[in-house]
Amino acid sequence: MSLLETKELSKNFGGVIALNRVELKVDEGEIVGIIGPNGAGKTTLYNCITGFYKPSSGKIIFNGKDITGLPSHKICKLGIARTFQIPRPFLNLTLLENVMIGALGRGTSLNEAREHAKEIISFLMLDEYADQPVGKLNFNYRRRCELARALATNPKLLLLDETFAGLNPTEIDDMIKTVKKIYEKGIAIMLTEHIIRVVMSLAERIIVLHQGKTIAEGPPKEIANDSKVIEAYLGKKYFV
Amino acid sequence: MTISLGLIINTIIHGIMLGVIYATIAMGMSLIFGVMGIKNLAHGDFAVLGMFTSYWLFSLFNVSPIISIPIAFTLFFCVGMILTRCIFKYIVGEMLGSIILTFGLSIFMENVMLLIWGGDYRNIPVEYGVYRLGTVSVGGGYLVAFVSTLVLIVLTQLFLSKTKVGIAIKAVSQDPEAAESLGISADMIRLVGGGLGVALAGCGGATLSLIYYIYPYLGILLTLHALIICVFAGLGNVAGTFFAGIIIGIAQSVATIQIPYALTPVVGFVVFLLILLFRPQGLFTRR
Amino acid sequence: MKKLGRKNISIIIITIIALTAPYFIVSQTYLLHLLVLVFIFATLAQSWNLLAGYVGQPSLGHALFFGMGGYTLGLLTLYIEYFKNNPWPALILGGFVGALLGLAIGAMCFRLRGPYFALATLAATEVVRLIVMNSEFTLGARGIVIRLPPSISTPFFVIDFSEKLPYYYISFITMIASFYVVNILSKSRYGLLLQSIREDEDAAMTLGVNAFKLKILAMFISSFIAGVAGALYAVYVGYIDPSMDPGGVLTLFTSIEPVLISIIGGVGTIIGPLIGSIIRVVVGEYLRVSFGWRAGMDLIVFGALFMLIFFLSRKGIWGIVKTRIKFI
């Protein structure tokens, strides 16, 4: 049984069809990449899965449980965490406090949450910034704060929304290493990305979305050579 | 009490008339919200100022309250522009901030009025006679108030939809940045919008002085009333406030058959709660 | 650890001073009277502060909980024999009535974003005031006179409620208790979670925070405290009415008091409401005494001051509120 499964997931806004009967699966411990041109429906997909939007039709099954239409906080408690395309940290709180909130979501005591948060912060090597208000940190570290926060909720599935956007090449390499570390912990990861080399090097499997529909699915090498995908998106052959 | 058809028709007619008058004030509030994103909690107090303007013009200079209506309009248009330039301009778009600030303004204004004029209930003692048509009898004051506000509303609507400035106001309400990129100065438009909004309040108040008694605390009641109408119509929906005002006016009027007049705001409040619970975006918005 | 010790010791010292000082000024009834008012309004402001500073929901109708807390006590002492002779449990009941009203409004508004909560509290206060004004059960516009609580004899001394001293202690203890509750709350996991909701409710939800439940919790505590403060005010002043004049407990003028006090004293700090209340009461009294102003006129000055502070804040208007929660 897959960890996450969507069945005929659709979402429309007025006349605009954002998701059109999307069927996808993510297994435990997998890294799946979601790519597609802007407007393909990637963020809408995330918003549906995490309970921000109610799907217009279709189902989302997580760990065998139907989570369609559940409120966000319940979905988080069931084991799905996400980051946002533009980081949304709690600016007036410190990094440690931000991560603690993720840890608290599991219903632990304040001290336990603090310990857990410190572990995660060490894991992501952010120790020196722990007591700074996140409002003072730069974009890269806000990103990492988001990541740490999401990890603190002990997710089984982590949804990364263009986590690599806006990073310079060194930062990208660091982030790739970080994502690999998370993967090694056994957390399933779904990541949407525009930066091809990232997706190609991290994902075991890639799903391509275009205009709300999945037009291709498979291992990176296959996708790179799939003519439909190239047509819709890549523009030229990409050799891994 | 026997409820005859005549009574019902009379009630409904009065409801419509009152509703239209309140709608004028609400329209001003909606306009200010639309063009500046500000919820003006002192709006009702400007209406009360309008009432006092009418009162003093009558008491001191024997000016007929009917003439006061256009005078109030002009006066409060200027007041509105000054207010926009000095205060509103700086809190554009701040939802909660504008509420708190204008709340403070309302308290300030009411206490100043209290200080200057005292808390006594005043009234403009002009008789307009009573007019009858079949079973319906309407006080002349009501009739005049109704007709003038109707004219005002029609003129405002025409202004908003047919003139260049009016359309610019609509544009800035929808998307200030887009409007700016088309060469419209959002600042200027906000001046006009703010002026018009407050003018409608002051002028609505002057109209109200024909039929209602005047006291400083009326401000908060009028503000709440206008607020409820605006939320009912959908915030920013200026045209919708007209119909919303009428509906609520009728509802309140009909309610007076059963409950004492002083309690009629409860009806508005119940409406408000129902809207919050079931359709917070208002009845006439297209979502 | 040293710093913590120093802070705690200074609190204890101040408390001891506050508890013993009255014996030295017991003859200064005017001063005692002012202090009682300071404590009561500091309590009210603290309750508002909890909601506005922590949850980010400014209530414009805290007078509703305050006034109805007072009316609860008034009605209980009016109609029920037990309370005629012993109104003190009614303080707690007043709190519960306040809390009930708060829960009702919260339940309706907290699912919505935006200013609906503030507007609903404003409207609710006015409507309830009208109902109270027009209902025979609450004695309408005549208001309720609350009889003097009978003296309580203890082995050492008699507590005479016709004097200010007992009220001083009761209001002081109430204030300290409310401050303590809010302090505990802010240092607990709930405090942190509430701040996250205030910062970014959506993001907090994705982290498993049940925003609605927490907001309701904060609302309950806030309106409970406000209700207790109102009941205390009622029994102290001895009279309560639904009039719209400044001084009426269900007016918007009362609703703005906690807002004024919190802004002056510092929103989001635990000691802020006390500082703000002292300034408010002292300056208000000074204005009233030196210029012979009636009640409400000092609101002109404070209203203008309030607008000025708000307006000129460099962090933008709501920015003052959205700062880090400081403790002292």
Side-chain angles (χ1 to χ4, degrees):
Chain A
M1 182 190 63
S2 309
L3 182 63
L4 176 76
E5 229 182 291
T6 71
K7 291 193 193 292
E8 306 227 339
L9 184 63
S10 304
K11 177 70 183 165
N12 36 294
F13 299 99
V16 179
I17 302 180
L19 292 177
N20 198 343
R21 304 170 72 181
V22 170
E23 304 239 343
L24 58 80
K25 285 212 278 261
V26 178
D27 290 320
E28 273 192 50
E30 250 200 310
I31 297 191
V32 175
I34 312 250
I35 65 175
N38 269 326
K42 307 193 288 288
T43 305
T44 310
L45 178 66
Y46 273 18
N47 285 340
C48 283
I49 296 176
T50 54
F52 258 129
Y53 295 155
K54 243 190 162 131
S56 308
S57 67
K59 276 213 210 147
I60 306 170
I61 316 236
F62 181 72
N63 235 348
K65 192 171 150 108
D66 185 352
I67 64 169
T68 326
L70 283 185
S72 303
H73 66 273
K74 287 214 176 117
I75 292 183
C76 171
K77 290 210 156 82
L78 288 171
I80 302 183
R82 75 170 290 177
T83 63
F84 290 91
Q85 210 168 327
I86 300 177
R88 294 168 70 159
F90 304 124
L91 293 171
N92 285 308
L93 304 179
T94 65
L95 179 59
L96 179 62
E97 285 167 343
N98 267 268
V99 181
M100 275 168 75
I101 295 190
L104 280 174
R106 286 150 54 229
T108 58
S109 77
L110 206 58
N111 284 326
E112 281 172 19
R114 190 174 292 123
E115 287 313 307
H116 186 65
K118 285 188 178 156
E119 274 171 32
I120 306 262
I121 289 180
S122 293
F123 176 68
L124 290 180
M125 298 185 298
L126 293 168
D127 305 83
E128 46 186 298
Y129 301 100
D131 289 316
Q132 295 221 21
V134 181
K136 295 213 170 106
L137 296 178
N138 70 23
F139 185 74
N140 185 20
Y141 285 101
R142 289 191 191 187
R143 266 274 157 73
R144 298 182 145 249
C145 169
E146 280 254 305
L147 201 51
R149 217 169 55 169
L151 277 181
T153 65
N154 258 10
K156 299 198 184 69
L157 170 65
L158 181 61
L159 303 179
L160 298 177
D161 199 346
E162 298 201 29
T163 311
F164 292 83
L167 301 179
N168 66 44
T170 326
E171 289 165 344
I172 291 183
D173 286 330
D174 281 333
M175 192 61 93
I176 292 183
K177 288 200 198 112
T178 309
V179 175
K180 283 207 173 126
K181 270 166 78 170
I182 298 174
Y183 166 66
E184 277 152 22
K185 277 192 147 201
I187 299 175
I189 300 176
M190 210 154 109
L191 55 101
T192 61
E193 231 6 279
H194 278 299
I195 305 175
I196 301 301
R197 78 165 168 104
V198 165
V199 182
M200 292 297 177
S201 65
L202 278 177
E204 296 168 340
R205 185 159 58 94
I206 297 183
I207 299 174
V208 185
L209 274 187
H210 185 51
Q211 290 175 345
K213 288 212 278 258
T214 47
I215 59 173
E217 193 177 327
K221 281 213 181 109
E222 254 182 54
I223 295 294
N225 292 310
D226 187 318
S227 53
K228 280 191 283 172
V229 174
I230 295 174
E231 219 179 284
Y233 189 43
L234 290 175
K236 66 174 184 208
K237 282 199 175 180
Y238 180 84
F239 292 95
V240 172
Chain B
M1 168 168 57
T2 50
I3 301 182
S4 65
L5 187 63
L7 179 64
I8 293 186
I9 296 183
N10 220 345
T11 313
I12 293 184
I13 301 261
H14 272 95
I16 295 179
M17 292 200 293
L18 262 181
V20 169
I21 297 172
Y22 285 124
T24 316
I25 303 177
M27 225 182 224
M29 191 186 243
S30 202
L31 192 57
I32 293 181
F33 179 75
V35 91
M36 293 190 274
I38 293 173
K39 285 201 172 65
N40 181 14
L41 288 185
H43 204 70
D45 297 288
F46 287 108
V48 172
L49 271 182
M51 291 174 101
F52 271 109
T53 309
S54 175
Y55 176 81
W56 288 113
L57 284 175
F58 176 77
S59 308
L60 297 177
F61 307 114
N62 234 319
V63 175
S64 157
I66 305 178
I67 311 272
S68 292
I69 297 177
I71 297 180
F73 186 89
T74 332
L75 176 65
F76 284 97
F77 191 86
C78 302
V79 171
M81 287 210 288
I82 297 176
L83 208 64
T84 307
R85 178 70 183 80
C86 299
I87 299 184
F88 286 165
K89 187 164 114 155
Y90 301 102
I91 52 173
V92 169
E94 301 209 25
M95 207 61 113
L96 288 176
S98 62
I99 288 187
I100 298 195
L101 187 70
T102 53
F103 187 53
L105 180 62
S106 170
I107 304 254
F108 179 76
M109 285 172 73
E110 285 192 17
N111 279 295
V112 170
M113 285 195 274
L114 192 61
L115 176 68
I116 303 181
W117 294 314
D120 298 325
Y121 287 23
R122 293 161 208 262
N123 191 303
I124 301 184
V126 177
E127 271 307 315
Y128 295 97
V130 178
Y131 298 86
R132 279 181 228 280
L133 183 67
T135 51
V136 179
S137 60
V138 177
Y142 268 92
L143 218 46
V144 173
F146 176 62
V147 170
S148 14
T149 35
L150 211 53
V151 168
L152 188 60
I153 290 179
V154 169
L155 286 177
T156 308
Q157 274 302 105
L158 284 176
F159 172 73
L160 285 176
S161 36
K162 303 276 185 204
T163 66
K164 260 169 60 180
V165 182
I167 297 181
I169 289 182
K170 282 193 175 170
V172 172
S173 303
Q174 296 239 5
D175 193 338
E177 281 161 358
E180 286 254 330
S181 65
L182 291 173
I184 300 176
S185 159
D187 269 348
M188 288 254 92
I189 294 298
R190 285 181 179 137
L191 271 181
V192 177
L196 184 56
V198 176
L200 282 172
C203 178
T207 317
L208 211 53
S209 72
L210 290 169
I211 53 179
Y212 209 69
Y213 41 91
I214 310 168
Y215 58 101
Y217 305 129
L218 189 56
I220 181 70
L221 263 178
L222 288 179
T223 302
L224 281 176
H225 207 90
L227 199 61
I228 294 174
I229 295 179
C230 284
V231 173
F232 190 78
L235 291 169
N237 182 348
V238 179
T241 55
F242 179 68
F243 301 103
I246 293 185
I247 295 179
I248 295 186
I250 296 180
Q252 291 206 296
S253 204
V254 168
T256 58
I257 298 182
Q258 276 294 85
I259 64 179
Y261 185 70
L263 277 180
T264 47
V266 179
V267 174
F269 183 62
V270 171
V271 169
F272 185 61
L273 285 181
L274 289 175
I275 299 270
L276 278 190
L277 283 174
F278 297 116
R279 213 186 143 87
Q281 66 268 37
L283 235 54
F284 300 120
T285 47
R286 236 158 282 144
R287 259 183 275 155
Chain C
M1 280 320 285
K2 245 196 204 166
K3 268 200 182 151
L4 218 60
R6 213 180 289 160
K7 189 169 82 177
N8 276 341
I9 289 176
S10 49
I11 294 179
I12 294 175
I13 291 180
I14 293 178
T15 312
I16 292 178
I17 293 180
L19 285 176
T20 54
Y23 279 111
F24 303 107
I25 56 172
V26 73
S27 54
Q28 311 249 28
T29 46
Y30 181 59
L31 184 58
L32 281 178
H33 164 72
L34 286 187
L35 284 172
V36 172
L37 289 181
V38 166
F39 297 149
I40 292 181
F41 281 100
T43 309
L44 178 64
Q46 184 71 271
S47 75
W48 184 88
N49 209 3
L50 170 63
L51 220 44
Y54 286 85
V55 189
Q57 301 271 12
S59 147
L60 293 181
H62 246 54
L64 176 62
F65 316 123
F66 186 77
M68 287 317 285
Y71 257 93
T72 303
L73 185 135
L75 290 171
L76 284 173
T77 56
L78 186 67
Y79 288 122
I80 301 183
E81 196 56 42
Y82 173 77
F83 290 105
K84 286 189 197 188
N85 295 319
N86 185 10
W88 305 110
L91 288 180
I92 304 292
L93 289 172
F96 275 113
V97 169
L100 233 87
L101 288 168
L103 286 177
I105 298 184
M108 282 189 287
C109 301
F110 282 154
R111 293 199 196 274
L112 306 168
R113 300 304 167 77
Y116 291 108
F117 172 68
L119 299 176
T121 55
L122 190 62
T125 311
E126 189 51 28
V127 166
V128 169
R129 189 186 70 84
L130 284 173
I131 294 178
V132 167
M133 179 101 114
N134 285 289
S135 154
E136 245 329 289
F137 177 67
T138 56
L139 301 193
R142 305 193 303 281
I144 301 178
V145 173
I146 294 147
R147 61 167 61 190
L148 202 61
S151 311
I152 299 176
S153 317
T154 70
F156 298 108
F157 45 75
V158 177
I159 305 179
D160 182 359
F161 290 107
S162 66
E163 298 197 348
K164 307 279 181 198
L165 196 59
Y167 293 104
Y168 172 87
Y169 283 111
I170 297 177
S171 58
F172 180 71
I173 292 173
T174 309
M175 180 187 78
I176 292 289
S178 71
F179 277 38
Y180 186 68
V181 165
V182 173
N183 192 31
I184 297 266
L185 187 69
S186 65
K187 290 195 170 127
S188 74
R189 53 196 303 265
Y190 295 110
L192 197 54
L193 292 174
L194 283 172
Q195 287 182 65
S196 76
I197 295 175
R198 184 201 63 193
E199 293 283 318
D200 190 333
E201 188 168 329
D202 286 330
M205 295 266 287
T206 61
L207 294 169
V209 178
N210 187 343
F212 181 73
K213 199 174 77 171
L214 283 171
K215 287 199 272 192
I216 292 283
L217 175 70
M219 185 74 198
F220 178 83
I221 297 177
S222 172
S223 44
F224 181 87
I225 296 177
V228 172
L232 186 53
Y233 182 80
V235 74
Y236 175 64
V237 171
Y239 174 67
I240 191 169
D241 75 19
S243 85
M244 191 51 168
D245 300 313
V249 287
L250 284 171
T251 64
L252 56 146
F253 305 114
T254 305
S255 283
I256 205 179
E257 291 291 349
V259 186
L260 275 177
I261 293 176
S262 296
I263 300 279
I264 294 175
V267 184
T269 69
I270 300 280
I271 201 96
L274 178 57
I275 296 177
S277 185
I278 293 176
I279 296 178
R280 168 79 182 90
V281 170
V282 167
V283 175
E285 276 303 303
Y286 174 75
L287 289 175
R288 207 168 300 163
V289 162
S290 22
F291 296 103
W293 288 1
R294 305 194 301 262
M297 296 188 195
D298 56 341
L299 274 178
I300 297 180
V301 172
F302 276 102
L305 185 66
F306 170 78
M307 286 193 286
L308 211 65
I309 293 179
F310 226 61
F311 193 65
L312 294 179
S313 146
R314 257 176 292 132
K315 283 188 187 173
I317 290 198
W318 198 233
I320 310 183
V321 178
K322 278 190 150 206
T323 49
R324 254 194 86 62
I325 302 297
K326 305 187 287 284
F327 296 115
I328 280 193

